[in-house]
Amino acid sequence: MLVPLSWLKEYIDFELSVDELVDQLNLSGTAVESVRFMGKGLDYVRIGQLLEVEPHPDADKLSVTKVDIGQAEPLQIVCGAKNIKPGDKVPVALVGATLPNGIEIKAAKLRGVTSRGMLCSQIELRLGTDAAGIYILPEDVEVGALFTEALGLDDVVVDLEITPNRPDCLAMIGVAREVRAITGNELRKPAVSVKEGTGKAEDAATIVIDDLELCPRYAARIIKGVKVGPSPAWMEQRLQKAGMRPINNIVDITNLVMLETGQPLHAFDLKTLKEGKIIVRRAKPGEKITTLDGVERELDRNMLVIADSDVPVALAGVMGGAETEVTDATVDILLESAYFEPDSIMRTARKMGLLSEASARFEKGVDPNGAVYAADRAAQLIAEYAGGEVLAGVIDVYPEKIEPRTLQLRTDRVNGILGTTLSLPEITDILEKLELKVSVIDGTDNMSVSVPTFRPDLEREIDLIEEVARIFGYNNIESTLPESSGKQGGLSHRQKTVESIKARLLASGLSEIITYSLIDPREVDKLQVPEGDPLRWFVKLMNPLSEELSVLRTTLLVNLLKVLKYNVNREQYDVQVFEVGHIFWHENGKEMPDEEAMLGIALTGAWQADEWHEKARNIDFFDLKGAVEAVLDEIGVTGWSLRQFAHPVLHPGKSAELLIGDEPIGYFGELHPDVLAAFDMPTAYVGELNMDKLIDNAIVSRELIEIPKHPAITLDIAVLVADTVAQEKLIELIEAEGKPLLEQAKLFDLYTGKGVPDGKKSMAYTMVFRASERTLTDEETLDARDRIIARLNKELGAEIRM
Amino acid sequence: MASKAELDNFYEQAKGAVESASDLRALDQVRVEFLGKKGQITSVLKTLGQLPADERKLVGQAANEVRRRLEGAISAKQTELSRADVEERLATEAVDITLPGRRTAHGSQHLISQVIKEITGIFIGLGYRVAEGPEVEIDYFNFKALNQPPDHPARSLQDTFYIKKESVHPADDDILLRTHTSPVQIRVMKEQEPPVYIIAPGKAFRRDVPDPSHLPMFHQVEGLAVDEGITFGDLKGTLEAFTKQMFGKKRKIRLRPHFFPFTEPSAEVDVSCAVCDGKGCRLCGSGWLEILGAGMVDPNVLMEVGYDPEKVSGFAFGMGVERIALLMHGVPDLRMFIENDMRFVKQF
């Protein structure tokens, strides 16, 4: 809502500076979006009158003009616009001007003709959107005058963000009322007195409301014998400053009064209404109307229309029809001032994609009891500026008056919600400044508050409390903290576990990423996922922005790979990342999509680039496995195992499924070469684990394992085994046979090559032996070692290698 | 035959050898040569018996004196040589301290997670629990229970992502991607009786095309306190406590009345700009930066979850994490949060 302060001051005086006013409005709930000082950049623009307009001798599209700017000699200015003729008054930017759009005006030769200035369009002066031609000014402006003074542009316009609950503030008077609540100054509503003629309005037109639910009130004034023409300069300026385009005096007055009172008005050319009839009804199936914007629109039963005896002539509250529009030939007018049911207007406007100034107000709720005031105000202005005779009486169909609402307000409730200690008179004073009528209920601190119909937002006691709060000032309310024993801050076991997993991965060198929960289903094709696979049980958006973000992710892999790729494309080859996020899927027949938290890991490149002390090493399967082991270790998962995992996404020989007990938790491995090719990646290691299942198996608290008191004996062995033997087999046998003295066994060397026969590998283990209650002897330790060697030999054919 | 003069001469000779010893080994040789079992001083002492008794005593004393002095000289030389030895070792062991240190690979937490952690940490300190909810919601939790009227524009297909219904008998309620984390409020209140003190961080979705100031997915932190006697003053005090911890002790807040369907009275909350201290600058314009929306929980919301608004009251607030991260770290384009360029991620 654009509010020129010069206009606002018609209704209220205030001594606040612009900054103070902006502050006070902001702090009382009327947000100021921007402030515009209109005259800025227009100091060198004067009013000129065209004396001559001649074609340029060497350029078809240019004209050479002589312009009187009130000085002895007219200026010669070359101009490209076509809409000018001798006699027109136009804004002239003089040499030396810097216009609001940054253009500097200099004397110049255009195709050999000297030009000393520029004739300006509205857009060049930042006054409107009309860039089509030179801004032709009203005839009554004074030649040579400063443009800003002549057009009253020495003004400040504030742009207010009006929240949807405050339709009353979509009007100058409404904004003035807010200023009144801030300053306590008196509000001046324009007094209206309509000079009525002898003819009766009732005889000139009839009004029938067919659907009282959608149109509780329809009032009209009839004005006969008007002369349609341009509005006076002051009126055009006012409308322009408020962001509206002047059309003609009749339309301008309806707009002016709408901006003033908040009541949208519509003027029909009375002669085009068949039988002089207005019928407010729902559209019939198949009916059509061509609206003022020239678009033919199909109507339906849910839309309210204004019809004459025959066809719809306006889309009620949204836009008028082209057929009944006021034109230069119009003589008699029917001026509509109605109250339409807000929701119906909103639905129609949305359905038609037509958001007009009128619909914006009707859909939020105008004052049903302000209709006649606005009609009278407009009729009076029309008589004054367009001539004609206002017929006697207002045709006002309003069978069921909408009465002001009465609400109860308790002083202790106000203070209980706000934490204030306001007295009853203080509360009353605030409400009365907002034009609410307050009566104290005898013998109590409670009030009965009558809410005027221009405030449809005040429906409950809490709404009144908000009014008290915002006018008292939020920042005048004392700050406190809740005093409660009910506060026990902290993280749940689940949340702590997630945090510790993240912390461990970060410490292991992986960075966290966050990606969209939405993916492109075509990316899942790239993963070579077969038809019917759960990764294709997509949850689809009904209204996606694009195919790229059209389904919810069924796996974290897609985005992990995209992030690797994004970085590799930018020469960031070493990328190690994880993401904790949700995946979603739609199981057939189930109404709600399923949603589960997952941990995704993706690694490529090397952990670190070449260093002076160490060369870079490319990440492989065991780096990925190490990251997974670190997670399991961090949250104390025991009893986990791996098994071969067959999925087209992964390399069959370098992938594994993780189980805890018998339950699959997730998988990890190197990407299948086909998938790598599809994503155009050299290599990548990925994993995806179910977060909830990990958390279910996480240890809640750890108990101390006693620190050994007796010394250990450490022995190493190296054995040769067939290279098909899994390491896990060896360690299982070593541990089984070494019990109970063997505390720990660990592979420390794996070797094939020179000295080792083909088809064999050398595995070296370091073994720590200890007895918890005594010092071990060498004999029993060596004995245990020999038993282990014998067992390995017996079961795996392992040969000891010394 | 030893004489005093010979002994003196011997001492001078030996002392010269000690002085000229260049390292500990040479010094030890000198010691053996002069003082060892087969050393010269020993041979002198061995010949003492051949001397007359009176002379024997004199020479004996002198020889012992020489030995004592020589031992002192050797010991002093020894100290000197070992120090030189240590110093030489230290000199050869010196490293170029300007070589880069050895470091293990490290990961960085995503900036958004860091900011969420900081915010939730502050509220945990104020006695709040962390609550979470699903990203796919039904209209009831996302809109209806939050007092959002049926025709509210936020519900339109332009603004909210809706899920295609796949089942044979679709339910009446629309399924959507939550547009804020506020539905967590409703879920928590429906599950438990007051008092409720929760903070709910998470992802939210709005149908905005990605550009420098919009993302279709972003993060919010929602807070809710419902208890007996909660006031607007409590809301202010809580937000002040939060702001000072998050943005610094000198920061002030300002509440401007606003409209939200689920709170009343409602406010938009600004924090004073840290760059200009509230005076107005290029970053903030007016001296204030909007950081969150807040208000007293609307009685309709309390009734919807079965609480009695005459018995309990509450406040709620919500903030955009990306916006706070952007203000705190000068990030010029929201899309940087979702691109996951390692050169961005690793900076924080």
Side-chain angles (χ1 to χ4, degrees):
Chain A
M1 172 86 183
L2 294 171
V3 178
L5 295 189
S6 63
W7 194 351
L8 185 63
K9 284 183 173 164
E10 295 238 323
Y11 313 107
I12 187 151
D13 298 322
F14 49 89
E15 302 75 34
L16 307 167
S17 70
V18 174
D19 281 350
E20 287 166 341
L21 179 73
V22 166
D23 248 19
Q24 300 271 323
L25 285 171
N26 271 328
L27 295 179
S28 61
T30 314
V32 179
E33 297 249 287
S34 63
V35 178
R36 187 171 155 222
F37 294 86
M38 299 272 308
K40 232 180 179 179
L42 303 180
D43 324 354
Y44 282 81
V45 182
R46 286 185 180 269
I47 308 292
Q49 184 163 31
L50 291 163
L51 303 176
E52 285 176 20
V53 180
E54 300 294 338
H56 191 289
D58 289 325
D60 293 348
K61 291 190 175 161
L62 296 180
S63 312
V64 180
T65 69
K66 291 259 176 352
V67 191
D68 175 10
I69 57 155
Q71 290 170 356
E73 284 292 313
L75 293 178
Q76 175 171 293
I77 293 174
V78 178
C79 174
K82 290 277 162 238
N83 68 328
I84 44 173
K85 59 181 190 301
D88 283 347
K89 290 183 178 171
V90 295
V92 182
L94 305 182
V95 170
T98 304
L99 295 179
N101 59 7
I103 294 181
E104 282 180 47
I105 308 299
K106 292 174 188 155
K109 275 197 171 172
L110 292 168
R111 292 284 185 103
V113 179
T114 305
S115 181
R116 301 187 162 277
M118 186 173 95
L119 311 185
C120 303
S121 70
Q122 286 191 3
I123 207 159
E124 282 156 347
L125 300 172
R126 205 176 277 178
L127 291 176
T129 50
D130 193 355
I134 300 304
Y135 182 14
I136 309 295
L137 301 171
E139 284 163 25
D140 55 0
V141 295
E142 190 194 333
V143 172
L146 269 175
F147 176 73
T148 49
E149 280 178 14
L151 274 89
L153 292 178
D154 205 13
D155 202 350
V156 179
V157 180
V158 294
D159 188 1
L160 304 179
E161 180 201 346
I162 306 298
T163 51
N165 61 330
R166 291 302 302 276
D168 63 304
C169 283
L170 294 171
M172 299 301 158
I173 291 175
V175 175
R177 196 179 290 117
E178 286 296 308
V179 177
R180 174 206 163 136
I182 295 166
T183 60
N185 293 349
E186 188 195 341
L187 180 71
R188 294 183 299 266
K189 273 175 81 174
V192 173
S193 69
V194 185
K195 242 188 256 159
E196 295 181 337
T198 45
K200 282 187 176 171
E202 286 169 6
D203 299 339
T206 32
I207 292 171
V208 179
I209 303 179
D210 231 26
D211 194 320
L212 271 173
E213 198 189 315
L214 298 189
C215 177
R217 184 178 199 181
Y218 196 101
R221 275 279 188 185
I222 308 290
I223 305 111
K224 285 199 159 179
V226 298
K227 187 169 176 294
V228 178
S231 298
W234 69 264
M235 194 183 292
E236 291 198 346
Q237 289 160 19
R238 233 173 223 192
L239 289 172
Q240 279 174 329
K241 283 190 263 185
M244 294 195 84
R245 199 160 53 91
I247 312 253
N248 60 46
N249 48 9
I250 305 296
V251 176
D252 291 352
I253 286 167
T254 61
N255 284 333
L256 189 85
V257 174
M258 174 183 71
L259 290 174
E260 182 176 62
T261 64
Q263 170 69 52
L265 301 170
H266 184 68
F268 291 99
D269 183 334
L270 182 57
K271 287 200 173 134
T272 63
L273 295 175
K274 286 176 204 81
E275 299 175 30
K277 237 180 172 175
I278 289 280
I279 301 167
V280 188
R281 60 165 169 85
R282 285 168 182 264
K284 296 169 189 164
E287 272 188 327
K288 286 177 183 165
I289 185 172
T290 303
T291 41
L292 282 174
D293 52 8
V295 179
E296 191 188 58
R297 294 166 190 277
E298 203 150 320
L299 306 172
D300 67 45
R301 276 287 302 154
N302 292 320
M303 296 175 180
L304 191 70
V305 296
I306 313 299
D308 59 15
S309 61
D310 191 12
V311 291
V313 294
L315 204 49
V318 178
M319 195 174 266
E323 295 288 315
T324 53
E325 184 183 5
V326 171
T327 64
D328 289 353
T330 301
V331 182
D332 300 337
I333 283 169
L334 183 144
L335 187 67
E336 165 199 293
S337 182
Y339 174 73
F340 301 113
E341 197 273 317
D343 289 347
S344 135
I345 300 294
M346 172 154 67
R347 278 192 297 272
T348 304
R350 297 249 184 282
K351 193 151 188 192
M352 288 290 179
L354 253 181
L355 301 178
S356 62
E357 291 282 340
S359 71
R361 287 172 173 79
F362 281 125
E363 71 176 32
K364 296 183 183 87
V366 302
D367 179 7
N369 296 320
V372 168
Y373 173 79
D376 285 352
R377 170 85 170 135
Q380 181 189 349
L381 290 172
I382 288 172
E384 193 173 335
Y385 292 99
E389 183 192 45
V390 182
L391 299 195
V394 180
I395 314 173
D396 185 10
V397 186
Y398 190 21
E400 284 172 49
K401 189 177 179 213
I402 297 169
E403 297 290 348
R405 189 181 277 131
T406 301
L407 299 175
Q408 284 240 346
L409 180 62
R410 295 163 290 172
T411 298
D412 60 356
R413 183 71 175 162
V414 173
N415 290 323
I417 292 288
L418 300 181
T420 47
T421 52
L422 291 168
S423 67
L424 191 136
E426 285 171 307
I427 294 169
T428 306
D429 180 54
I430 287 172
L431 296 176
E432 284 176 345
K433 278 196 236 167
L434 293 163
E435 284 182 43
L436 309 186
K437 291 188 186 65
V438 183
S439 49
V440 178
I441 297 166
D442 279 347
T444 68
D445 271 346
N446 300 339
M447 291 148 269
S448 171
V449 181
S450 170
V451 180
T453 45
F454 60 75
R455 289 298 303 272
D457 59 313
L458 304 181
E459 298 174 304
R460 300 170 297 160
E461 185 180 36
I462 193 73
D463 301 326
L464 296 177
I465 294 173
E466 179 173 54
E467 293 301 291
V468 173
R470 71 181 182 90
I471 300 302
F472 175 67
Y474 284 3
N475 299 296
N476 295 325
I477 296 172
E478 202 192 327
S479 297
T480 49
L481 282 172
E483 285 173 30
S484 171
S485 54
K487 296 189 289 182
Q488 284 131 22
L491 291 177
S492 64
H493 169 59
R494 186 200 144 82
Q495 291 157 350
K496 282 185 208 159
T497 307
V498 173
E499 284 307 312
S500 61
I501 288 174
K502 285 186 176 187
R504 181 62 178 262
L505 288 168
L506 291 169
S508 305
L510 285 79
S511 290
E512 188 193 18
I513 59 167
I514 295 179
T515 68
Y516 287 124
S517 298
L518 295 162
I519 57 167
D520 186 335
R522 291 170 300 191
E523 300 280 345
V524 175
D525 297 340
K526 286 198 200 168
L527 291 178
Q528 319 289 322
V529 172
E531 288 302 318
D533 190 279
L535 293 192
R536 290 187 183 276
W537 298 353
F538 293 126
V539 178
K540 295 174 192 140
L541 291 188
M542 195 158 82
N543 54 339
L545 281 168
S546 64
E547 181 82 7
E548 281 76 39
L549 299 172
S550 61
V551 300
L552 287 166
R553 57 183 174 190
T554 50
T555 166
L556 301 183
L557 285 190
V558 166
N559 287 345
L560 286 165
L561 290 172
K562 281 176 80 176
V563 168
L564 295 193
K565 185 71 189 147
Y566 181 95
N567 281 285
V568 167
N569 284 350
R570 284 159 187 75
E571 296 174 324
Q572 305 289 300
Y573 301 110
D574 303 327
V575 191
Q576 298 89 31
V577 292
F578 72 92
E579 178 170 20
V580 175
H582 289 194
I583 60 164
F584 311 80
W585 68 95
H586 228 147
E587 239 170 285
N588 245 347
K590 261 182 86 177
E591 180 56 42
M592 275 302 282
D594 285 296
E595 181 169 348
E596 210 158 37
M598 303 294 281
L599 165 64
I601 295 176
L603 313 173
T604 189
W607 292 108
Q608 283 183 321
D610 280 340
E611 295 283 344
W612 59 274
H613 52 82
E614 195 178 13
K615 294 292 157 217
R617 178 179 63 76
N618 278 333
I619 280 167
D620 65 19
F621 176 83
F622 298 102
D623 291 285
L624 175 64
K625 185 178 175 188
V628 171
E629 285 171 343
V631 167
L632 296 170
D633 181 52
E634 177 66 30
I635 60 172
V637 172
T638 51
W640 59 271
S641 59
L642 299 182
R643 70 177 175 205
Q644 292 286 328
F645 184 62
H647 193 281
V649 175
L650 297 178
H651 187 306
K654 292 189 193 171
S655 60
E657 184 171 38
L658 173 70
L659 299 111
I660 301 177
D662 296 331
E663 190 180 28
I665 302 298
Y667 59 87
F668 57 90
E670 185 175 344
L671 272 193
H672 194 283
D674 292 347
V675 179
L676 285 173
F679 278 90
D680 189 22
M681 284 285 296
T683 176
Y685 295 86
V686 297
E688 200 171 19
L689 306 179
N690 185 306
M691 204 66 172
D692 293 312
K693 290 180 184 173
L694 280 176
I695 291 160
D696 289 345
N697 288 287
I699 200 165
V700 177
S701 97
R702 289 174 198 264
E703 245 177 66
L704 176 74
I705 299 165
E706 213 183 326
I707 294 166
K709 292 188 184 72
H710 299 276
I713 295 178
T714 301
L715 293 174
D716 292 348
I717 57 166
V719 292
L720 281 178
V721 290
D723 60 12
T724 51
V725 175
Q727 190 275 147
E728 195 177 45
K729 275 270 167 267
L730 286 140
I731 205 103
E732 271 172 18
L733 288 174
I734 293 170
E735 280 172 355
E737 194 58 46
K739 265 194 262 176
L741 297 181
L742 180 71
E743 185 178 84
Q744 194 193 36
K746 193 181 144 199
L747 179 74
F748 73 90
D749 190 39
L750 168 63
Y751 176 72
T752 56
K754 207 176 161 207
V756 173
D758 277 355
K760 299 255 177 188
K761 58 184 172 185
S762 163
M763 315 275 281
Y765 289 87
T766 185
M767 304 183 294
V768 179
F769 295 91
R770 194 196 308 270
S772 56
E773 294 308 325
R774 63 195 166 84
T775 301
L776 279 185
T777 63
D778 287 350
E779 289 74 28
E780 55 186 334
T781 311
L782 290 170
D783 190 43
R785 183 193 68 176
D786 293 344
R787 281 202 318 274
I788 289 170
I789 293 171
R791 180 87 180 263
L792 291 177
N793 178 266
K794 186 176 160 223
E795 301 211 7
L796 300 174
E799 303 160 45
I800 189 77
R801 200 166 172 254
M802 287 300 176
Chain B
M1 271 316 94
S3 71
K4 181 116 183 0
E6 274 171 340
L7 277 171
D8 285 345
N9 184 34
F10 165 78
Y11 174 73
E12 287 309 320
Q13 200 189 330
K15 186 151 185 277
V18 168
E19 294 294 321
S20 58
S22 61
D23 56 28
L24 286 170
R25 232 173 57 123
L27 183 65
D28 199 51
Q29 275 172 9
V30 173
R31 187 185 60 78
V32 171
E33 187 184 335
F34 291 94
L35 298 178
K37 278 184 184 163
K38 291 175 185 167
Q40 295 185 28
I41 196 80
T42 314
S43 7
V44 171
L45 290 172
K46 274 182 186 159
T47 60
L48 278 183
Q50 302 165 10
L51 291 177
D54 56 337
E55 217 174 306
R56 187 190 307 161
K57 193 180 172 195
L58 266 175
V59 175
Q61 278 175 350
N64 275 328
E65 171 66 14
V66 164
R67 177 151 81 178
R68 203 182 48 75
R69 281 171 63 196
L70 196 52
E71 276 169 355
I74 289 174
S75 160
K77 185 69 183 177
Q78 200 166 23
T79 308
E80 184 194 318
L81 285 176
S82 11
R83 172 131 314 276
D85 222 39
V86 168
E87 254 149 41
E88 196 193 321
R89 212 178 85 211
L90 291 180
T92 55
E93 282 173 5
V95 297
D96 176 0
I97 56 162
T98 65
L99 282 174
R102 290 195 180 100
R103 301 168 64 162
T104 49
H106 76 287
S108 290
Q109 184 155 39
H110 195 282
L111 182 57
I112 292 299
S113 289
Q114 291 186 36
V115 174
I116 288 176
K117 216 166 156 179
E118 200 170 342
I119 297 169
T120 50
I122 293 170
F123 282 100
I124 286 171
L126 289 170
Y128 289 62
R129 284 192 308 108
V130 178
E132 289 158 299
E135 292 169 34
V136 176
E137 266 295 0
I138 52 174
D139 180 282
Y140 175 78
F141 286 113
N142 194 73
F143 290 128
K144 182 168 181 285
L146 287 159
N147 204 33
Q148 202 106 312
D151 283 325
H152 194 277
R155 278 178 156 167
S156 77
L157 286 168
Q158 295 308 309
D159 295 326
T160 299
F161 286 118
Y162 285 91
I163 303 292
K164 245 190 209 166
K165 293 191 179 176
E166 302 277 353
S167 87
V168 198
H169 305 290
D172 295 338
D173 214 0
D174 287 329
I175 305 173
L176 46 81
L177 295 185
R178 65 177 177 192
T179 59
H180 43 191
T181 47
S182 313
V184 179
Q185 282 185 26
I186 304 296
R187 288 178 173 275
V188 170
M189 286 194 285
K190 286 212 148 204
E191 253 167 43
Q192 70 165 91
E193 290 299 313
V196 175
Y197 290 89
I198 55 154
I199 191 99
K203 295 185 167 94
F205 302 81
R206 293 197 189 153
R207 206 171 166 279
D208 288 323
V209 176
D211 71 21
S213 49
H214 296 88
L215 286 178
M217 183 188 91
F218 55 97
H219 294 78
Q220 262 198 346
V221 177
E222 178 92 6
L224 173 74
V226 182
D227 206 341
E228 283 172 25
I230 293 278
T231 67
F232 194 88
D234 292 337
L235 169 62
K236 272 186 72 182
T238 301
L239 294 179
E240 267 167 20
F242 162 70
T243 316
K244 284 187 195 305
Q245 277 202 59
M246 189 77 192
F247 302 103
K249 279 202 165 57
K250 286 187 179 164
R251 302 277 69 78
K252 289 190 273 295
I253 60 166
R254 175 176 92 160
L255 280 73
R256 288 176 288 106
H258 197 70
F259 172 75
F260 303 114
F262 33 90
T263 50
E264 185 149 16
S266 303
E268 281 186 334
V269 183
D270 302 333
V271 60
S272 60
C273 175
V275 175
C276 63
D277 203 19
K279 289 180 193 76
C281 68
R282 264 171 55 188
L283 172 70
C284 61
S286 64
W288 297 92
L289 295 159
E290 187 187 325
I291 51 158
L292 54 86
M296 298 301 289
V297 180
D298 195 289
N300 286 351
V301 174
L302 294 175
M303 284 190 285
E304 183 64 44
V305 299
Y307 290 3
D308 181 355
E310 290 289 321
K311 285 202 181 121
V312 293
S313 52
F315 61 73
F317 54 85
M319 59 192 106
V321 181
E322 276 79 0
R323 177 165 170 78
I324 289 176
L326 168 153
L327 291 176
M328 290 176 81
H329 300 281
V331 178
D333 188 331
L334 287 182
R335 289 171 298 187
M336 296 178 90
F337 291 122
I338 206 83
E339 280 164 354
N340 296 293
D341 191 316
M342 284 298 117
R343 292 164 296 182
F344 174 81
V345 175
K346 290 243 178 187
Q347 276 186 43
F348 301 100

